[in-house]
Amino acid sequence: MIMRIGIVILPDQRWAESRHRWRQVEEWGFDHAWTYDHLGWRDLVDGPWFDSMATLTAAATVTSRIRLGTLVASPNFRHPAAFVRQITTVDDVSAGRLVLGLGAGGIGFDSAVLGGETLPPRQRVERFAEFTELLDLILREDGTTWRGDWFAAVDARNNPGCVQQPRVPFVVAANGPRSMRLVARFGQGWVTTGTGDDNDLAGWWDSVAALSARMDRTLDEAGRDPATLDRYLSLDAAPVFSLSSAQFFADQVGRAADLGFTDVVAHWPRASSWYAGDEAVLADVATRLLPQLRG
């Protein structure tokens, strides 16, 4: 199995500082590059933070091969009818390299900044189901009129549509049964963060294995061929940063492959706080280990 490997570049630097990272990830030979889709994220909300879709548009102009994506966009502050215009724009500028990561959205700054109520998990999933269905519909059909409990659209347009037909691929984040059913229905890919205790790496891997088995059952119940679904694992949701050393990274990629994952995603190391690490480890992985890990 060929494992595809991607890097998340947080949108927390000015473009003059971050553009070299997007170029470098492509030059190193990674398969995909991602950024977060938030209005502000955790304790980094007090620092610099930039828009995901504008960042991906800029990234598309300094790269030519690598796939670019959101990890993940959510209905916390997005409406499908407006979001479609941004999606088709990035897909066009990138010549069909956009991958759309989608998730239900959590609590925190994104869910509070617009002044709305904080939804419990069940309602967030219900809203996400509507969001995904309507987004899929507008991207496929020009002139969509639709009304649900959470969203409505009147003659919503997608013209000229996506470069990738019938639409850009969805990579749907899911750990629970209902979200997994959305994966089976709408996803070209599935991404999981696993679950478990913050200090228990073995337990985290056990949760990833259990979620992978649940995804297998969900696909079987939906009558879908498992080979038609790419499987992404966010390695840095684990208690240990994946790029703490090159050997540790290689070990984690191997474990993901053993569980049937086709893709893994790590984060560009930051100087401190979230995903703190040494950029030299990333460079070592890219130049020495990446050819071996991918094949």
Side-chain angles (χ1 to χ4, degrees):
M1 173 186 291
I2 296 176
M3 175 67 76
R4 294 181 294 262
I5 300 175
I7 297 293
V8 178
I9 301 170
L10 265 59
D12 62 345
Q13 291 185 321
R14 293 189 182 278
W15 182 245
E17 300 170 345
S18 67
R19 62 185 170 192
H20 83 277
R21 294 184 175 185
W22 295 88
R23 287 176 177 153
Q24 185 66 75
V25 167
E26 177 169 88
E27 290 171 3
W28 274 331
F30 285 95
D31 297 282
H32 29 77
W34 310 78
T35 199
Y36 282 6
D37 187 51
H38 293 289
L39 298 177
W41 188 68
R42 299 189 179 181
D43 57 344
L44 301 186
V45 71
D46 294 323
W49 197 264
F50 295 92
D51 177 73
S52 66
M53 299 305 280
T55 296
L56 293 176
T57 302
T61 68
V62 298
T63 59
S64 61
R65 173 198 60 81
I66 197 166
R67 296 189 69 81
L68 306 168
T70 53
L71 201 71
V72 290
S74 84
N76 264 344
F77 57 90
R78 294 202 176 276
H79 188 290
F83 195 27
V84 159
R85 289 304 193 188
Q86 294 177 288
I87 293 165
T88 54
T89 299
V90 179
D91 192 50
D92 180 66
V93 173
S94 67
R97 291 185 284 130
L98 178 64
V99 182
L100 194 64
L102 298 173
I107 60 174
F109 187 80
D110 286 351
S111 64
V113 67
L114 300 183
E117 63 177 314
T118 298
L119 300 176
R122 181 179 181 84
Q123 286 182 295
R124 291 203 304 271
V125 173
E126 290 172 351
R127 183 183 61 174
F128 180 44
E130 261 194 31
F131 177 82
T132 305
E133 181 175 358
L134 181 55
L135 192 62
D136 171 77
L137 185 61
I138 300 174
L139 284 169
R140 291 175 183 271
E141 299 180 10
D142 194 35
T144 297
T145 296
W146 193 90
R147 182 169 296 277
D149 294 328
W150 299 95
F151 298 100
V154 179
D155 197 23
R157 303 304 183 93
N158 71 7
N159 195 310
C162 296
V163 174
Q164 303 174 84
Q165 286 294 311
R167 60 156 169 77
V168 300
F170 288 1
V171 175
V172 181
N175 284 347
R178 184 165 184 184
S179 294
M180 284 189 174
R181 289 194 290 273
L182 287 177
V183 174
R185 183 178 175 190
F186 294 107
Q188 284 66 57
W190 164 55
V191 61
T192 183
T193 55
T195 60
D197 188 277
D198 289 345
N199 298 311
D200 184 3
L201 182 60
W204 183 80
W205 276 108
D206 288 344
S207 78
V208 171
L211 290 168
S212 184
R214 177 185 288 174
M215 191 73 251
D216 287 337
R217 293 192 297 272
T218 302
L219 294 173
D220 184 63
E221 291 166 0
R224 179 167 172 181
D225 181 357
T228 65
L229 183 73
D230 293 332
R231 297 178 181 227
Y232 294 73
L233 179 61
S234 180
L235 290 176
D236 295 328
V240 181
F241 183 45
S242 65
L243 290 167
S244 57
S245 74
Q247 186 56 57
F248 183 74
F249 184 79
D251 292 343
Q252 301 311 285
V253 172
R255 294 190 69 169
D258 290 343
L259 291 175
F261 286 89
T262 59
D263 298 75
V264 295
V265 182
H267 290 70
W268 189 290
R270 300 178 69 254
S272 61
S273 186
W274 297 96
Y275 316 120
D278 187 347
E279 291 185 5
V281 174
L282 173 60
D284 187 26
V285 166
T287 57
R288 184 172 60 87
L289 295 183
L290 189 60
Q292 303 171 36
L293 293 174
R294 293 180 61 211

